[in-house]
Amino acid sequence: MNLATSVHTHWDGPGVPSIDPGRGIPFGSSSVQHGTAVFEGIRCYATPEGPAIFRLDDHLERMLNSARLLGIRHAYDLPRLRRSTLRATADSGCADGYVRPGLFAADPVVSIGLTTVPFTLGVEVWPVTTPPPEPPAIPGVRLTVSPWRRPSPQSFPRRAKAVGTYVTSALAKTAAQAAGFDDALQLDCDTGRVAEATTANVFLVTGGRLSTPWLTDNLLAGITRDSVLTLARDLGLEVTEGPVEVAEVHAAQEVFLTGTAGELLPVASLDGRPFAAERPVFDAIATAFRATVTGRAGHPEWRTPVPQREPEPPAGPATP
Ligand code: PMP
């Protein structure tokens, strides 16, 4: 996903007066200092009916659940989150955009207590400059297995998409890139089974059947993962969620990653061992996915239209 740098940000109080719109939340915010914030990454796509956000309510419900799991104090319900996110997207003027709502501590308070200050909603919208290539032209990702495992559920609620947990993803990604790979599989902390990639879920195709690590292992319940499970069943594929060992990934005919930002990405190799260049199952699912997100196929319930911006009122006559 290629993003423009001209990000549009929308704040919806409380705490908004302490936010400098040009600089965002203050450096002294606990969310900045300690990673105590929750967020979502969502995609808006140009469709024949105008811009539409993909699985908006599912993302916002996951953010509310992340906030509940952390026990942060905030004043937002689903309708207000939906209104603000749609307004930010409409105001940005983007048809193709990457939309990031997040709940942040907006006040500079030196405390890590999550109920000390109310959390404030900010929504960033990044224009997506070039659409990703269509399958089968999508380049493959070279994966390794990371020494950095997903945090244990005894250390962190595994269903929460919180800012601080991305340090472990960053460590794994950086180590993988330093070793000449693009990304890494991270293992479940306790079982040593495959959990997910650093910012994406993982799927295998073995003997024509699709499988993905079950949510019992320590992974984010990806919304793209859920969409792929549904689209694969729509295509008549046999689909299972279960425990996945690293050896099973090596044995698969096709492997691919799923996430909102990267969408569906084929895996070219794992630790230098290549997968077949032909990816018929990936190509079929990725084609169905792109047709769905861009409004050229079914599941209209997954697309929320972005209301058009109100036109600026005409300038009135000059008052004497
Ligand atoms: N796992 C992790 C760790 C992620 O950061 C993401 C991206 N949100 C995913 C999986 C994929 O989730 P989704 O499909 O909801 O973007």
Side-chain angles (χ1 to χ4, degrees):
M1 183 176 60
N2 294 317
L3 299 177
T5 48
S6 55
V7 59
H8 170 86
T9 311
H10 168 88
W11 294 101
D12 177 0
V16 167
S18 68
I19 295 172
D20 170 350
R23 300 184 64 197
I25 51 172
F27 179 63
S29 154
S30 172
S31 296
V32 176
Q33 300 285 339
H34 311 120
T36 48
V38 296
F39 74 108
E40 279 298 318
I42 314 179
R43 273 298 312 268
C44 175
Y45 290 94
T47 78
E49 285 80 43
I53 298 188
F54 189 62
R55 301 198 63 171
L56 174 63
D57 281 9
D58 296 306
H59 280 282
L60 297 177
E61 278 169 6
R62 186 169 69 181
M63 190 164 81
L64 285 171
N65 194 45
S66 299
R68 256 192 307 278
L69 286 165
L70 266 63
I72 66 178
R73 183 154 69 84
H74 68 84
Y76 306 92
D77 57 8
L78 184 63
R80 183 167 171 190
L81 291 178
R82 194 191 294 127
R83 257 196 323 276
S84 280
T85 307
L86 286 169
R87 185 172 149 206
T89 311
D91 286 352
S92 76
C94 298
D96 271 305
Y98 182 59
V99 182
R100 277 209 156 168
L103 294 172
F104 297 91
D107 297 319
V109 173
V110 184
S111 164
I112 56 168
L114 289 164
T115 51
T116 315
V117 291
F119 276 56
T120 293
L121 175 68
V123 186
E124 280 190 342
V125 186
W126 301 72
V128 174
T129 50
T130 43
E134 298 278 338
I138 308 176
V141 178
R142 291 159 307 146
L143 283 185
T144 184
V145 177
S146 183
W148 298 103
R149 295 189 173 192
R150 300 303 300 168
S152 158
Q154 276 79 46
S155 310
F156 195 81
R158 62 180 150 205
R159 296 285 169 262
K161 185 171 164 68
V163 171
T165 40
Y166 279 82
V167 176
T168 177
S169 294
L171 284 168
K173 176 93 174 177
T174 307
Q177 288 178 328
F181 299 97
D182 301 311
D183 199 2
L185 290 178
Q186 291 192 270
L187 307 180
D188 179 275
C189 185
D190 303 315
T191 63
R193 291 191 291 248
V194 175
E196 59 186 337
T198 59
T199 54
N201 295 113
V202 60
F203 280 84
L204 325 180
V205 181
T206 315
R209 286 193 313 275
L210 190 68
S211 61
T212 192
W214 58 359
L215 297 179
T216 309
D217 283 330
N218 209 6
L219 52 128
L220 190 75
I223 289 165
T224 320
R225 173 188 183 276
D226 183 73
S227 308
V228 162
L229 288 170
T230 301
L231 293 175
R233 289 189 183 108
D234 290 353
L235 290 169
L237 289 162
E238 194 184 317
V239 177
T240 55
E241 297 172 69
V244 174
E245 306 288 347
V246 173
E248 292 172 66
V249 184
H250 280 297
Q253 282 88 52
E254 299 179 45
V255 179
F256 63 92
L257 305 181
T258 66
T260 298
E263 302 187 352
L264 274 55
L265 293 174
V267 174
S269 59
L270 176 61
D271 280 327
R273 289 165 60 177
F275 297 102
E278 293 74 37
R279 307 158 177 139
V281 175
F282 170 81
D283 288 349
I285 298 174
T287 302
F289 180 81
R290 279 215 63 80
T292 303
V293 294
T294 54
R296 293 176 284 121
H299 295 289
E301 72 283 6
W302 284 346
R303 298 183 293 268
T304 302
V306 178
Q308 295 304 298
R309 267 188 299 181
E310 299 284 321
E312 295 291 326
T319 44

